[in-house]
Amino acid sequence: MTLPLFEDAESGQPWREALCPGAVVLHNFATAAGATLLTTLHDIARQAPFRHMITPGGFRMSVAMTNCGSCGWLSDRTGYRYAATDPESGKPWPPLPEAYLKLARAAAASAGFPDFEPDACLINRYAPGARLSLHQDKDERDFTQPIVSVSLGLPAVFLFGGLRRNDKAARVLLTHGAVVVWGGPARLRYHGILSLKAGYHPLVGEQRINLTFRKAI
Ligand code: SIN
Ligand code: FE2
């Protein structure tokens, strides 16, 4: 018999971890699709290379980012926003691949959000030492739609806080294939990623990739 305590993310078996009403981690939900998602990522990154964006406060983000979808998230000196074109190339962001859409919709449905129609996928790349400080996702127009966040590669500690910045944050280990979905009463919860620890993942190498799906417009 396996006790829930010993459920092992590395076993590759899917299991659910409820965080609060409206938020759940679907461990290993994307494990089987991982290789396909990563192959597609190479095509996206060729068209829209990863870059370190500048925050409105003038800091260079440690996480490298790109986007696919009909709009993409951007940060620069003037603020945060979604835009239909990549400012580096002047071209539209690469479209959301069918496999990405399918996975995001399936994860949302499994978490209780059956009508998820993402139009934006922010792609985050973490090298060892990269981190994302506590923030809310609030640049989107429609907060009735959830956030679907897919982790690939090296494990990371996800901070999942409350609706106020100072609320105590839970620490959740996200391994390759984990999908976090938060929406409804949890949609505006603060969250972040602790500084990535060095390591090696057989599919992804010395980094972590995160795909964050949103309905932005
Ligand atoms: C994000 O909040 O945009 C990304 C979170 C993550 O990398 O898991
Ligand atoms: Fe976020």
Side-chain angles (χ1 to χ4, degrees), residues 63 65 122 124 126 132-133 135 137 147 149-151 156 158 174 180 182 191-193 208-212 214:
V63 180
M65 298 176 173
L122 171 65
N124 296 311
Y126 297 74
L132 198 60
S133 53
H135 66 278
D137 287 6
I147 304 288
S149 175
V150 178
S151 293
F158 181 60
L174 299 180
V180 191
W182 66 99
H191 57 280
I193 292 285
R208 169 178 185 261
I209 298 288
N210 167 260
L211 312 173
T212 298
R214 304 171 179 140

